[in-house]
Amino acid sequence: MKDYQEQDALVLFSGGQDSTTCLYWAKRQFRNTYALCFIYGQRHSQEVENARRIADMARTPFQVLDAGIISRLAPNSLTDFSVEMDEGKPAGSYPNTFVPGRNLLFLTFAATLAYAQGVKHLVTGVSEADYSGYPDCRDTFIRSANATLNLAMDNQFVIHTPLMWRNKKEVWRLADELDVFDIVKNETLTCYNGILAEGCGHCPACRLRNKGLQEYLAERGNNL
Ligand code: ZN
């Protein structure tokens, strides 16, 4: 990868496994790293406080942006407590954890803030390898959004997606390579039911996270 030691990056940061791994990845790549956390009617506001705590641990400046308008535009189980969460992906449609337009809006907000702060690099933890079928996690969408943001603001943003082609097992491996395996394992909040670290064990996010962890530990154990 190019040497970005003279440049700064803004990480879209939720305090979950993926974005925490991205935060530490960015800290290795860039001169200064900033964390941006969105509020948008999450089920658990402790997600934001946990994100702030991890950013503090990483000595990374932390900003919160209210994107609550997203919650009011379309009903989905992540932002509306009255909608029961899909445990899997219904045939022919997206799970109702899908928030339409979310990543496009987040990237637009992040780029606008980055522009104002003179930051050119954006980092997001989206992945096409283990995704739930969300269209705005795909590499083709990110490339398109990057081009659009550059045209919209006459700027040269670079959107980095270090997890794009990594499944959950490989995201655990990356955390280990960055020497933050224990931080990611013990401090992050991925669970849709708001339970830290290992989580509730049965929501879709927990199942994906724990499956990847077990696969990674099995692989690592064999290589010790
Ligand atoms: Zn859970």
Side-chain angles (χ1 to χ4, degrees):
M1 126 161 235
K2 287 184 207 162
D3 184 7
Y4 292 120
Q5 291 301 318
E6 301 301 313
Q7 300 185 49
D8 303 335
L10 180 64
V11 180
L12 285 77
F13 181 63
S14 70
Q17 177 192 358
D18 293 342
S19 66
T20 299
T21 305
C22 285
L23 185 76
Y24 282 99
W25 176 87
K27 285 177 66 68
R28 293 280 186 102
Q29 311 292 336
F30 298 95
R31 178 180 56 186
N32 296 306
T33 299
Y34 304 96
L36 175 61
C37 182
F38 293 103
I39 299 176
Y40 62 105
Q42 280 116 324
R43 289 182 161 237
H44 301 279
S45 61
Q46 79 251 37
E47 185 176 352
V48 175
E49 289 316 307
N50 196 58
R52 186 192 307 277
R53 194 176 61 84
I54 295 171
D56 286 348
M57 285 170 55
R59 294 187 172 83
T60 302
F62 180 80
Q63 300 171 88
V64 177
L65 193 70
D66 186 349
I69 183 72
I70 292 176
S71 316
R72 299 192 287 277
L73 296 176
N76 67 84
S77 67
L78 279 191
T79 58
D80 184 345
F81 298 173
S82 68
V83 178
E84 190 176 340
M85 187 179 295
D86 287 338
E87 292 261 325
K89 185 184 174 188
S93 70
Y94 298 113
N96 64 6
T97 48
F98 175 54
V99 183
R102 175 171 60 176
N103 284 343
L104 180 58
L105 289 166
F106 281 3
L107 285 169
T108 303
F109 292 147
T112 305
L113 186 68
Y115 184 98
Q117 298 181 346
V119 174
K120 287 205 182 299
H121 297 272
L122 303 173
V123 181
T124 173
V126 297
S127 169
E128 189 165 319
D130 245 354
Y131 77 147
S132 302
Y134 299 151
D136 57 357
C137 290
R138 292 179 296 188
D139 188 56
T140 184
F141 159 72
I142 295 293
R143 289 166 185 266
S144 166
N146 201 153
T148 296
L149 291 169
N150 288 351
L151 289 168
M153 301 186 203
D154 192 17
N155 204 356
Q156 293 300 317
F157 293 113
V158 182
I159 303 179
H160 300 265
T161 54
L163 310 186
M164 181 58 76
W165 308 110
R166 297 175 200 264
N167 61 29
K168 277 285 183 279
K169 177 182 81 173
E170 293 161 336
V171 176
W172 284 110
R173 183 191 301 138
L174 177 61
D176 213 359
E177 289 166 1
L178 294 166
D179 292 327
V180 293
F181 178 82
D182 287 339
I183 291 174
V184 173
K185 181 168 175 288
N186 298 327
E187 310 296 341
T188 62
L189 175 55
T190 311
C191 173
Y192 288 146
N193 290 312
I195 300 171
L196 198 68
E198 285 184 12
C200 72
H202 58 78
C203 77
C206 280
R207 288 210 301 260
L208 198 58
R209 170 182 169 132
N210 292 333
K211 175 171 172 285
L213 178 59
Q214 294 312 316
E215 288 171 358
Y216 177 65
L217 289 175
E219 177 186 284
R220 190 174 72 164
N222 292 336
N223 291 334
L224 286 176

